[in-house]
Amino acid sequence: MNPFESLSRKDAISALLLWLFMAFLGFILLPALGIIQPEGRLFIWIATGIPLGLGGAILVGASSEFVASANRAEPGPTKQALIWAGQAAGWLGLMGVMYPVLMVALEFFAKAIQELGDVIPK
């Protein structure tokens, strides 16, 4: 077995587990505790979060293998461009994995700004 394949699999599984934890926290626990009130938006968050999380986890795993294989290339500008492309893909994958946290943070700060606007006299 190629060691890079196990690295890719390990990174994809780690990203998937991170996404599952973040989805549970953001889509189930925080709304249940009343910390955020997404109301009708929760279904949309879940519907968009599933493909983003799964796709992000796959992209994280693929990008780690891509960067590892790019590191074996001959030194030069092409090698560096391949490494940067792999790292960019990894960051995009992480954005998909962290989507639940992003939505919770946006909801929390939108509510805080709204309440701040209610307190400040006009």
Side-chain angles (χ1 to χ4, degrees):
M1 180 200 268
N2 186 348
F4 296 122
E5 289 176 6
S6 65
L7 172 69
S8 175
R9 186 176 300 121
K10 185 174 89 172
D11 287 348
I13 291 171
S14 296
L16 183 62
L17 291 174
L18 177 64
W19 170 72
L20 286 171
F21 175 73
M22 292 298 142
F24 173 76
L25 182 73
F27 298 155
I28 297 171
L29 187 61
L30 293 178
L33 294 174
I35 296 173
I36 60 168
Q37 292 85 28
E39 289 119 18
R41 294 182 302 276
L42 186 60
F43 176 75
I44 295 169
W45 290 2
I46 294 170
T48 55
I50 291 171
L52 286 173
L54 295 176
I58 292 168
L59 193 56
V60 166
S63 70
S64 67
E65 185 172 343
F66 184 79
V67 170
S69 65
N71 276 323
R72 290 181 276 166
E74 293 295 321
T78 304
K79 176 181 179 175
Q80 192 61 40
L82 289 173
I83 291 171
W84 285 348
Q87 289 174 343
W91 280 106
L92 283 173
L94 282 176
M95 288 173 56
V97 168
M98 297 305 288
Y99 174 79
V101 173
L102 175 64
M103 297 314 296
V104 167
L106 289 174
E107 181 72 20
F108 181 76
F109 287 119
K111 182 179 178 184
I113 290 171
Q114 181 183 16
E115 289 180 5
L116 184 62
D118 293 341
V119 173
I120 297 175
K122 297 178 181 168

